[in-house]
Amino acid sequence: MADVVTSADATALRDAVRAEQVRLLYADGGFSLLTTFISAALLAGLLVWQHAMATLAAEVWVAAMAAQSILRWGVRRAYLKAAPAATAWRPWARWFLAGTIAGGVVWGLGMLWMLPPDRFDLQMLVLAMLTAGTYGIVGSAGAYLPAFYTFVTPFPPTLIWLLAQDDGLHFFCAAVILLWLPSIAVLGRRYNAILVEALELRFENAALADGFLAQKHAAEQSSLAKSRFLAAASHDLRQPVHALGMFLGALRSHPLSPKAAELAEHMDGSISSLDGLFTALLDVSRLDAGLIESRPGVVALQPLLARIHRDLEGEAQAKGIELTLIPTDTSVRSDPVLLERVLRNLIGNAVRYTDRGRVLIGCRRRGLRLSLEVWDTGRGIAPEQQEVIFEEFYQVAGKTSEQGAGLGLGLAIVRRLTGILGHPLTLQSELGRGSAFRILVPRVATPRRAAAGLAAAVGPADPASALILAIDDEVVVRTAMAELLASWGHRVVAAADTEGALALLKTSATPDLIVCDYRLGRNETGLQAIARLQTASGVRIPAILLTGETAPEKLRAALASGYPLLHKPLAPGRLRTAVTSLLRGAAPAAGTVAAE
């Protein structure tokens, strides 16, 4: 082998091979000991019956055979009970060697009694059984050469007896045995060499496999650690981009030269692209880390699809294509956050990669399930690419858009999310004619709408100059939010946490609106902060939640609160729309999530 093997590795390999050889010596279940003893007893009985061996001699010899067989059987039982380690093979090899020597000596001495001088036929029978038994030793002791070589032990007394007969026939038999013994030795050595080579290859392959598994495990753990880090850091990674977007929005409220306005527009596009890349990478990281689970519930499709349609309609109009939503009153059983993420990806891709024509969003009943379908008249996907497009970082050649090609993660995320949801996903596409993605979701009865809760607080007399309380635990983000809101003509007070906001309530009027980060310091959430502020003021103050979280369980809690939820990094225009709607008393749909 070309690999460099250390001395310790070579010693460990040798011990492993020797230990396996010794195990094979003891692994025949004692069958060879039993058959050898029975054969010896039958041979002695035959010779006594033929008056070729004295009864006393036969009894002594059979007793000796029984004694050495029982002792060797006991050693075997002790070995099986001890189950020794690989490094402890030597004493057990010596015990087995001692047993084979004892058996050979008993057979050799017995030859002097069992070869009757006047019965050549019985002599040949005894020699034939001795020869057959010798071949059996190749299988029973050939795994360990020192034990195998004891096969010669019975033959010196036999050869001496044959030569002592002083006739040509017996001399010929002795010569045949002398010529035959080396062939047995060669046979045993070949068997042993093949066995040792096979064992060495087996253990070397096992060591390589263990090494590969260890490296694979280390790589998986490293990747998992990376994924967990990115998943846990998603909020912190989004914050600077979010602050940059708000500073840019505040900058646009000031007079800018045409060139500066053009540069600001490019910066806005770059921030949007960076947001998309962050979202894709963080989603993949959460999937890799196993942090995304499905929590299905009843989802009314029309509000969800209408929200996505509204968010993407402007992009479709800018490209000159028609984005059509077929209304539906159907509900399905799914996880609302994950299902919206899937549909937002599919519909967003359809709009992005359709150059002319239309994108159609609709539903069809399929028995007890509903087929959510996204059709487009875009470029289509070749048959050989219709499976690989769902792999991570794969991009169809030529599929670029004005926003850039992205990372090729959108459909990989879709495939993995539909797998978590248990919703089958299919694709039908033809080059030059467009594509259709279908998701099968369990259909349920549409629940009745509950009665409205508490009425919203009366808005300010002039919504354009409202008092807004901004809460965020990061100074840069808090400053950017205050600057952006103030650039729109609002009065702004800002706090880092609930305690600071409560202190502001004592020195200023009740705010007309709260804009609060979902994750604050000291393990406090924006929901808790809003609740405490409303309790302290005695008024249900309208509120907007901002979040950089991607964890579905946290998004569910925010969505269930009834407050509009906007995702960081946030386009200033989207925040302004939400602020204006709430201040005018026409709150946007609760749970609105910004397009990603």
Side-chain angles (χ1 to χ4, degrees):
M1 293 180 61
D3 296 336
V4 178
V5 181
T6 65
S7 176
D9 291 338
T11 300
L13 177 61
R14 184 178 64 252
D15 283 340
V17 172
R18 294 290 184 268
E20 183 64 13
Q21 288 176 271
V22 172
R23 188 193 69 80
L24 292 173
L25 295 177
Y26 289 100
D28 69 349
F31 182 73
S32 61
L33 290 174
L34 180 62
T35 56
T36 300
F37 174 73
I38 293 175
S39 300
L42 292 174
L43 178 60
L46 175 63
L47 294 174
V48 170
W49 179 56
Q50 291 292 319
H51 304 291
M53 185 178 185
T55 302
L56 179 60
E59 290 174 350
V60 171
W61 186 73
V62 170
M65 284 293 299
Q68 66 92 19
S69 297
I70 291 172
L71 288 174
R72 292 172 68 183
W73 180 279
V75 172
R76 177 184 173 276
R77 289 292 298 264
Y79 170 84
L80 296 177
K81 185 177 180 180
T87 55
W89 63 271
R90 289 178 179 83
W92 297 103
R94 295 190 191 104
W95 277 109
F96 192 90
L97 178 61
T100 56
I101 291 174
V105 168
V106 171
W107 270 99
L109 295 176
M111 290 297 101
L112 300 176
W113 292 333
M114 292 187 295
L115 294 171
D118 55 347
R119 293 289 304 272
F120 187 75
D121 57 335
L122 293 178
Q123 293 173 17
M124 292 300 101
L125 176 63
V126 173
L127 291 176
M129 292 193 66
L130 181 61
T131 302
T134 302
Y135 279 110
I137 291 176
V138 174
S140 62
Y144 185 59
L145 276 182
F148 167 73
Y149 284 145
T150 61
F151 81 92
V152 302
T153 308
F155 288 98
T158 303
L159 291 171
I160 293 172
W161 186 91
L162 290 172
L163 294 173
Q165 303 309 305
D166 197 24
D167 64 76
L169 187 58
H170 286 90
F171 285 170
F172 177 77
C173 290
V176 170
I177 290 175
L178 286 172
L179 292 173
W180 171 74
L181 287 177
S183 68
I184 291 296
V186 171
L187 179 64
R189 285 182 62 86
R190 287 178 178 173
Y191 169 78
N192 181 267
I194 293 171
L195 176 64
V196 170
E197 183 179 4
L199 291 176
E200 287 177 347
L201 287 173
R202 189 181 99 188
F203 286 115
E204 287 171 355
N205 289 337
L208 287 174
D210 289 342
F212 286 141
L213 286 175
Q215 293 176 11
K216 179 175 179 288
H217 179 71
E220 288 175 345
Q221 290 302 310
S222 176
S223 177
L224 188 59
K226 175 268 300 179
S227 296
R228 285 175 174 166
F229 166 75
L230 285 176
S234 62
H235 176 272
D236 297 331
L237 290 172
R238 289 173 180 268
Q239 290 287 73
V241 181
H242 175 62
L244 183 60
M246 288 192 292
F247 278 128
L248 181 61
L251 179 64
R252 281 177 160 173
S253 66
H254 298 281
L256 298 175
S257 66
K259 184 62 177 177
E262 181 183 355
L263 292 175
E265 188 68 28
H266 290 316
M267 289 174 61
D268 193 20
S270 297
I271 292 172
S272 298
S273 297
L274 186 59
D275 174 29
L277 297 179
F278 262 133
T279 299
L281 285 172
L282 295 173
D283 279 352
V284 169
S285 296
R286 294 193 60 79
L287 287 165
D288 287 341
L291 301 179
I292 294 182
E293 298 179 354
S294 172
R295 296 184 182 178
V298 177
V299 181
L301 286 177
Q302 184 60 28
L304 185 153
L305 294 174
R307 185 160 62 242
I308 299 173
H309 179 271
R310 181 178 63 246
D311 292 342
L312 295 175
E313 190 173 23
E315 182 179 345
Q317 289 176 351
K319 294 187 67 175
I321 62 175
E322 181 182 355
L323 178 61
T324 303
L325 169 63
I326 300 176
T328 178
D329 59 356
T330 310
S331 296
V332 295
R333 176 164 293 278
S334 183
D335 184 302
V337 175
L338 301 186
L339 182 62
E340 179 167 349
R341 186 77 178 93
V342 169
L343 291 171
R344 199 174 277 278
N345 257 322
L346 292 179
I347 300 169
N349 274 354
V351 171
R352 191 168 299 116
Y353 298 115
T354 298
D355 301 318
R356 59 181 181 276
R358 67 187 302 198
V359 174
L360 177 66
I361 311 165
C363 309
R364 292 182 180 179
R365 295 191 178 188
R366 293 287 185 266
L368 297 178
R369 294 191 291 185
L370 195 74
S371 176
L372 300 177
E373 303 184 1
V374 179
W375 293 74
D376 67 65
T377 58
R379 308 163 197 177
I381 303 166
E384 64 273 12
Q385 293 183 313
Q386 291 183 13
E387 185 60 32
V388 295
I389 60 170
F390 294 101
E391 296 178 3
E392 293 178 3
F393 304 108
Y394 183 86
Q395 295 177 335
V396 178
K399 272 211 167 189
T400 58
S401 66
E402 293 180 358
Q403 291 76 23
L407 292 176
L409 290 173
L411 290 179
I413 293 171
V414 166
R415 168 66 63 86
R416 293 168 74 171
L417 288 178
T418 53
I420 292 173
L421 291 167
H423 301 341
L425 170 67
T426 58
L427 164 64
Q428 177 185 340
S429 185
E430 185 176 344
L431 277 176
R433 302 195 64 178
S435 305
F437 288 86
R438 298 181 178 88
I439 305 170
L440 286 177
V441 188
R443 183 164 52 89
V444 296
T446 302
R448 292 186 177 181
R449 294 282 181 183
L454 295 174
V458 177
D462 183 6
S465 59
L467 176 61
I468 300 177
L469 171 59
I471 307 174
D472 197 294
D473 58 332
E474 293 199 18
V475 177
V476 174
V477 178
R478 189 167 63 249
T479 303
M481 191 188 311
E483 288 288 341
L484 180 63
L485 293 171
S487 71
W488 297 336
H490 299 298
R491 294 169 293 136
V492 183
V493 291
D497 53 26
T498 308
E499 301 304 325
L502 290 171
L504 288 173
L505 282 181
K506 297 177 181 178
T507 59
S508 66
T510 301
D512 302 305
L513 177 67
I514 299 172
V515 180
C516 185
D517 188 25
Y518 180 78
R519 191 175 82 173
L520 301 174
R522 302 175 184 175
N523 294 322
E524 186 179 34
T525 68
L527 292 176
Q528 295 169 332
I530 293 169
R532 290 180 63 186
L533 290 168
Q534 289 178 342
T535 300
S537 65
V539 179
R540 178 166 180 170
I541 307 170
I544 296 173
L545 284 172
L546 307 181
T547 184
E549 297 284 356
T550 57
E553 63 275 9
K554 294 181 179 179
L555 292 181
R556 291 186 193 95
L559 288 170
S561 69
Y563 299 116
L565 177 66
L566 304 180
H567 230 286
K568 299 177 182 179
L570 177 63
R574 184 171 298 281
L575 177 61
R576 188 168 192 172
T577 299
V579 168
T580 302
S581 297
L582 282 174
L583 292 176
R584 288 176 176 173
T592 299
V593 181
E596 300 175 359

